[in-house]
Amino acid sequence: GYTPNEMRSLLNDNCSSERKFHQPLDVGRNDTCPCGSGKKYKQCCLKTEKMELANLSKQEQESFYEAWLRLLDFVNRKLSVVDYEINLLTPHSTNERQIHKIRNKLWENPELIIEFINSDVTLSKELVQLLHSWKDKFLKGTFMLMKYELEYAIFVDASSEKTYLYAVKGITNALANAIRAPLPIMLDTVLLPFGDKIIYDSFLDLYSINYGDNAKTLLEKAFQSAANSPGAVSRL
């Protein structure tokens, strides 16, 4: 088998330092699926998107954005990160680049989550519980997105001494729809618990990498070795 250190060495040898805000490709139903499976889009990732099992429910989405945007608004007011006012009522109208800057400051100072909880008496019990779980169990790191399943995408932790697999749901869309790029993909993100699920903090910083055949073979063998281990998929 392949060890996590061998995996990281491979990644370091093959990745550039370029990371960017990702713009998903426009894909037609009969086009080749952008995930790299070789199948038509309508016979592959489009099925996952239509079933809507790989992302949060509408109610869960509302809970996430209420907690997330209120938290980021508190961080911005506390630290004066950017001159920008977050619209708490329309999450999809937010300025992505400004929010990204605030988000980065949050994960540099995760103790602010507790300060936020203590400062806002209007938070529901459910949101307080959710925010505490973020503070205690958030996982910031570099991951390999290896595979799409009907109910989640499988991430491999590329920065750990052990190989951990995480079943990650999208927020408003399946990750297959949000990314639309060939697998495997190396990315930086922050994984968050959401009840008995794992999500990400709405930002995926993708690396621009071209994998050779040897690199793909090594990654696939490492992934299969980890996936075949007892209790392969980890929980936060």
Side-chain angles (χ1 to χ4, degrees), residues 12-28:
N12 290 335
D13 290 343
N14 282 273
C15 77
S16 70
S17 60
E18 180 184 3
R19 284 171 290 173
K20 56 189 177 182
F21 287 95
H22 179 65
Q23 297 296 325
L25 299 172
D26 289 328
V27 186

Side-chain angles (χ1 to χ4, degrees), residues 173-221:
N173 294 290
L175 280 159
N177 185 35
I179 293 179
R180 293 186 183 179
L183 301 181
I185 297 169
M186 185 180 181
L187 54 87
D188 288 342
T189 193
V190 178
L191 299 185
L192 299 172
F194 195 95
D196 62 350
K197 305 176 181 70
I198 299 174
I199 59 172
Y200 65 105
D201 72 346
S202 79
F203 286 100
L204 301 167
D205 295 332
L206 275 60
Y207 287 82
S208 179
I209 305 175
N210 291 319
Y211 293 102
D213 290 340
N214 288 340
K216 288 182 179 179
T217 298
L218 177 59
L219 288 168
E220 182 61 27
K221 285 185 176 180

Side-chain angles (χ1 to χ4, degrees), residues 27 111 118 132 167 169 172 194 197:
V27 186
E111 68 279 358
N118 293 336
H132 271 295
K169 283 188 177 286
T172 58
F194 195 95
K197 305 176 181 70

Side-chain angles (χ1 to χ4, degrees), residues 94-144:
T94 54
N95 184 304
E96 186 180 54
R97 293 187 181 275
Q98 300 285 54
I99 293 291
H100 190 266
K101 293 175 183 177
I102 304 168
R103 169 261 199 180
N104 288 344
K105 283 295 181 182
L106 165 63
W107 298 124
E108 290 173 10
N109 305 275
E111 68 279 358
L112 288 175
I113 297 176
I114 302 302
E115 191 171 337
F116 168 56
I117 292 170
N118 293 336
S119 71
D120 193 335
V121 298
T122 68
L123 289 168
S124 67
K125 180 180 178 181
E126 290 73 23
L127 289 185
V128 168
Q129 184 177 7
L130 180 62
L131 288 160
H132 271 295
S133 73
W134 292 356
K135 167 61 173 64
D136 295 338
K137 297 182 179 180
F138 78 90
L139 181 60
K140 184 177 187 291
T142 301
F143 303 88
M144 293 297 300

Side-chain angles (χ1 to χ4, degrees), residues 50-116:
K50 285 188 171 182
M51 294 182 74
E52 294 191 340
L53 297 175
N55 54 269
L56 298 180
S57 69
K58 297 299 183 185
Q59 184 177 353
E60 289 171 332
Q61 292 171 31
E62 291 175 4
S63 295
F64 168 77
Y65 280 113
E66 182 179 359
W68 180 237
L69 293 181
R70 288 173 70 173
L71 172 60
L72 292 182
D73 182 61
F74 173 81
V75 171
N76 194 36
R77 293 177 187 275
K78 176 78 175 180
L79 301 181
S80 300
V81 183
V82 294
D83 183 17
Y84 175 71
E85 185 172 349
I86 297 175
N87 188 331
L88 302 177
L89 299 178
T90 55
H92 301 297
S93 69
T94 54
N95 184 304
E96 186 180 54
R97 293 187 181 275
Q98 300 285 54
I99 293 291
H100 190 266
K101 293 175 183 177
I102 304 168
R103 169 261 199 180
N104 288 344
K105 283 295 181 182
L106 165 63
W107 298 124
E108 290 173 10
N109 305 275
E111 68 279 358
L112 288 175
I113 297 176
I114 302 302
E115 191 171 337
F116 168 56

Side-chain angles (χ1 to χ4, degrees), residues 18-48:
E18 180 184 3
R19 284 171 290 173
K20 56 189 177 182
F21 287 95
H22 179 65
Q23 297 296 325
L25 299 172
D26 289 328
V27 186
R29 288 174 51 84
N30 292 308
D31 292 342
T32 300
C33 191
C35 77
S37 66
K39 300 177 182 179
K40 288 186 177 181
Y41 179 52
K42 67 182 180 182
Q43 297 170 336
C44 192
C45 288
L46 183 59
K47 289 183 177 180
T48 302

